Amino acid sequence: MIAVLMVAMLTVAVLATMIAIAMLVTTVVTVAMLVTTVVTVAMLAALTVLVMTAAMAAMVATVLTVVLVVVVIRMGSDGQSQAEGSSKKQCFFHVIYSFLTN
């Protein structure tokens, strides 16, 4: 009778240990999934910021290019400034315009 009771207690102890190990493994897997999720969200946020920054830089570069082109065309096509003669120094925009048109 005592041997049966000891076997039963040992069985319960082994089952309890197996349940504890299973719970530990489940906890580790859950934490790993949580860390993976947090890292993924952080990477997506960083990627979004990077894309937005690149888009803003492209927009600023486009606007500055358009402004430069407009200034060069307006300054270069100004007949009064062209008629002043070649002895005077030309403006930077006039030089660019002359390179583009000659």
Side-chain angles (χ1 to χ4, degrees), residues 14-93:
V14 169
L15 287 174
T17 304
M18 291 174 62
I19 290 172
I21 291 172
M23 290 175 63
L24 180 64
V25 168
T26 304
T27 303
V28 168
V29 168
T30 303
V31 168
M33 289 173 60
L34 180 63
V35 168
T36 303
T37 303
V38 168
V39 168
T40 303
V41 168
M43 288 176 61
L44 286 175
L47 183 63
T48 302
V49 168
L50 182 66
V51 168
M52 294 300 287
T53 303
M56 287 175 55
M59 290 187 325
V60 167
T62 302
V63 168
L64 290 178
T65 303
V66 168
V67 166
L68 181 65
V69 166
V70 167
V71 168
V72 165
I73 290 174
R74 288 181 56 89
M75 295 286 285
S77 64
D78 186 8
Q80 186 179 11
S81 60
Q82 293 284 339
E84 290 178 1
S86 61
S87 61
K88 292 187 177 181
K89 257 187 176 175
Q90 285 187 333
C91 174
F92 169 74
F93 299 109

